[in-house]
Amino acid sequence: FPRWAAARARSHGLTAGRQVEHAISECVRLLHRFAAHPLYQEMDRAAQRLHEVPYSMIVDGRTDEGVIDALFRQGEQWTIVEFKTDAVPSAAAVAAHLQQCGYVEQAGRYAAAVERLLGQTPRVLFCWLNVAGRIVIATLPSSARP
């Protein structure tokens, strides 16, 4: 894992040894935090779980494509999980940050793709890994669905 994380850090432009080491330790810290969260347990027990799911489809004559962080199924319910590592100061600031960064629109497109390709309306979760030192789960507002 450390070699993979170091390579990823370098691919994102980090070159100094201390920068790379810091990126690896932050990644490990966030992964440990997530592993202790109930969403991790839910995903681990899923009947089917996919990571980095690419999709491509034509919408209004244009190609819409993207990569869904995680998609899993429990029973008949599909769930999209979009992981976010942005440092957000508080849980109260999450909703505004979702809008400001375009994450709601992005997840709405992902939900539309899953619905169109699988024929089911998915649950959509944002998993914030770094909100004042804890994990915060937010759901896609129903008004954001196409």
Side-chain angles (χ1 to χ4, degrees), residues 1-10 20 24 28:
F1 178 79
R3 283 195 307 249
W4 174 86
R8 293 292 295 166
R10 287 186 189 97
V20 172
I24 292 169
V28 167

Side-chain angles (χ1 to χ4, degrees), residues 8-79:
R8 293 292 295 166
R10 287 186 189 97
S11 76
H12 287 282
L14 300 179
T15 56
R18 285 190 176 230
Q19 288 178 322
V20 172
E21 288 173 21
H22 177 71
I24 292 169
S25 69
E26 282 296 297
C27 184
V28 167
R29 185 176 60 80
L30 294 177
L31 287 173
H32 282 288
R33 182 182 294 161
F34 179 59
H37 193 274
L39 179 58
Y40 176 90
Q41 311 309 321
E42 182 181 352
M43 291 177 71
D44 191 47
R45 290 188 311 267
Q48 190 172 4
R49 183 180 62 243
L50 306 165
H51 300 276
E52 297 295 317
V53 181
Y55 75 89
S56 180
M57 60 185 200
I58 303 298
V59 177
D60 297 329
R62 291 182 291 191
T63 302
D64 177 32
E65 51 189 24
V67 178
I68 298 168
D69 288 343
L71 179 65
F72 70 95
R73 181 180 57 81
Q74 282 287 37
E76 297 301 315
Q77 176 67 62
W78 283 96
T79 300

